[in-house]
Amino acid sequence: MSKRIFLWVAKALLSGVIAVAILTSICMLYYNVPVHYDTVDGATDYRWEKNKFYSRGTEGFAWGKTNNEGYLNAIDYTESTQVDVLVMGSSHMEAYNVLQEQSTASVLGSLMPDKTVYNIGTSGHTFLVCADNLADAVNKYEPKEYVIIETAKLGFSDIQLQSAIDGNVPDNKSATGGIVELLQKNPFFRLTYSQLKNFSENAEEDVAPATPSENTIGSEETYSALFARLNDIVSEKGAQLIIVYHPYLILNKDGTATTNSDKEECELFAAGCEKNGIIFLDMSNRFLENYENESILPHGFTNTSIGSGHLNKNGHKMIAESLYEIMKEAK
């Protein structure tokens, strides 16, 4: 009896090992994301493994290799590299969901072949995180002409804005070392964890509404104070700060589209930028015009719901072209 039980357990374990091996092999192409580690220089909270192949098929289909610093750049960075345009932002600018040559930074670089466009966009690095990291990023890379910060959100409370002014925005932490890092290096386990995490976060959002302080838009004074600080940091290096806002398009039953933008938030954000010498690029009109004329959406992929999720290659291209027009006119 005990021998039969032992054989059954052995067969079950062997079957499990074989199944994991097969699933891992499949995920090496379907969802192969590097491990990330906390940074020392503070330009971003963390970076991915250096010179590491990656591929993702959960939202769009893309692959590439991280550069020598661990960012999604087609070029490497050394101390002798002159950065003309520094791109900062969230997973949208990081662009795990499109091919490297289709990202905003890459397309902008192709439009300005005589300039170096360096992208440090990283998942989880929202506008306030980038604002908190801006001084360290500018001190390291010393951009000569422009710093670009991307955001999909304009409305922040006074508490949130003040945290960025004071440099108290919570960091994105890396969970590495020991068994945790070992499991992260397995694509199948990494995908399973990601799916469980996304499911958990979506469930929490359904039952945990935001607090009143998080829903209350900040004052004009606090917005202006943050923008003044950001502009000072960039202008001290002789560069110009551009903040790019990309709203989502909402499709109506009659075939038309509107944006998810809030008019009050847009006006407040734009006024604060103008007052403090920051160029504010609102992609709303460009997105709407392209949808009306060419039925093109800036977000979403063939394997996701329509118009949702990250910027697709069309969205990246529109943003890069709009940035190029601004830079060309400034000359």
Side-chain angles (χ1 to χ4, degrees):
M1 184 70 178
S2 58
K3 183 178 179 180
R4 286 164 55 187
I5 294 175
F6 174 79
L7 289 174
W8 183 89
V9 172
K11 289 179 180 179
L13 289 174
L14 180 60
S15 299
V17 171
I18 293 173
V20 170
I22 293 173
L23 291 169
T24 298
S25 299
I26 294 172
C27 288
M28 287 182 70
L29 293 177
Y30 179 69
Y31 190 81
N32 190 358
V33 180
V35 178
H36 60 73
Y37 302 90
D38 294 337
T39 60
V40 177
D41 57 42
T44 53
D45 293 346
Y46 65 79
R47 295 180 197 152
W48 303 99
E49 293 175 272
K50 303 175 182 178
N51 301 307
K52 187 74 173 179
F53 170 80
Y54 67 83
S55 60
R56 293 183 74 165
T58 53
E59 187 183 359
F61 298 94
W63 58 88
K65 190 182 78 168
T66 58
N67 74 348
N68 67 321
E69 283 201 301
Y71 296 120
L72 272 63
N73 269 285
I75 61 173
D76 286 339
Y77 174 82
T78 65
E79 291 184 0
S80 62
T81 302
Q82 176 179 305
V83 175
D84 298 297
V85 181
L86 179 65
V87 178
M88 304 178 68
S90 65
S91 53
H92 290 282
M93 287 298 99
E94 181 180 54
Y96 256 127
N97 311 96
V98 297
L99 299 177
Q100 281 191 340
E101 61 267 25
Q102 297 172 336
S103 72
T104 296
S106 293
V107 176
L108 182 60
S110 68
L111 294 171
M112 303 187 301
D114 59 329
K115 304 293 183 182
T116 298
V117 180
Y118 195 70
N119 178 28
I120 61 172
T122 308
S123 300
H125 287 57
T126 59
F127 174 71
L128 295 182
V129 174
C130 291
D132 191 32
N133 294 338
L134 182 61
D136 289 327
V138 167
N139 286 335
K140 176 180 179 179
Y141 295 105
E142 298 189 336
K144 303 301 180 185
E145 297 186 22
Y146 294 96
V147 176
I148 298 166
I149 300 179
E150 163 268 333
T151 183
K153 179 181 177 180
L154 301 179
F156 304 97
S157 69
D158 277 330
I159 293 175
Q160 292 170 320
L161 294 168
Q162 193 62 48
S163 69
I165 295 171
D166 298 336
N168 294 326
V169 177
D171 291 338
N172 293 284
K173 293 296 184 180
S174 298
T176 54
I179 188 65
V180 173
E181 183 171 339
L182 183 63
L183 291 174
Q184 287 187 72
K185 289 181 178 291
N186 181 288
F188 168 61
F189 292 139
R190 188 72 177 273
L191 175 61
T192 302
Y193 171 76
S194 175
Q195 291 174 328
L196 290 173
K197 181 181 179 183
N198 290 338
F199 176 79
S200 175
E201 289 177 348
N202 291 336
E204 289 175 2
E205 290 175 359
D206 290 338
V207 298
T211 62
S213 63
E214 293 173 330
N215 281 331
T216 304
I217 189 170
S219 66
E220 181 180 343
E221 291 75 20
T222 315
Y223 269 94
S224 185
L226 174 59
F227 291 143
R229 176 179 179 273
L230 301 184
N231 186 59
D232 286 345
I233 291 171
V234 176
S235 61
E236 283 179 4
K237 297 294 182 179
Q240 171 69 56
L241 177 59
I242 302 176
I243 299 177
V244 181
Y245 168 58
H246 58 101
Y248 286 87
L249 294 189
I250 301 172
L251 303 184
N252 303 316
K253 292 182 179 180
D254 62 0
T256 61
T258 55
T259 69
N260 69 333
S261 304
D262 180 276
K263 183 178 179 180
E264 180 185 358
E265 292 176 355
C266 284
E267 291 177 349
L268 186 60
F269 203 99
C273 286
E274 182 178 5
K275 180 180 178 181
N276 291 282
I278 298 171
I279 297 174
F280 177 57
L281 173 57
D282 183 352
M283 293 299 301
S284 298
N285 290 336
R286 177 69 186 273
F287 285 175
L288 289 169
E289 288 173 5
N290 273 263
Y291 175 73
E292 181 178 346
N293 298 328
E294 302 178 44
S295 299
I296 290 175
L297 291 171
H299 301 87
F301 302 85
T302 56
N303 56 348
T304 63
S305 55
I306 297 175
S308 65
H310 289 88
L311 287 165
N312 56 36
K313 65 179 182 179
N314 301 313
H316 281 284
K317 184 173 183 288
M318 284 185 269
I319 292 175
E321 290 174 344
S322 297
L323 286 168
Y324 176 65
E325 289 299 321
I326 289 175
M327 296 175 184
K328 189 170 62 174
E329 291 176 5
K331 292 184 178 180

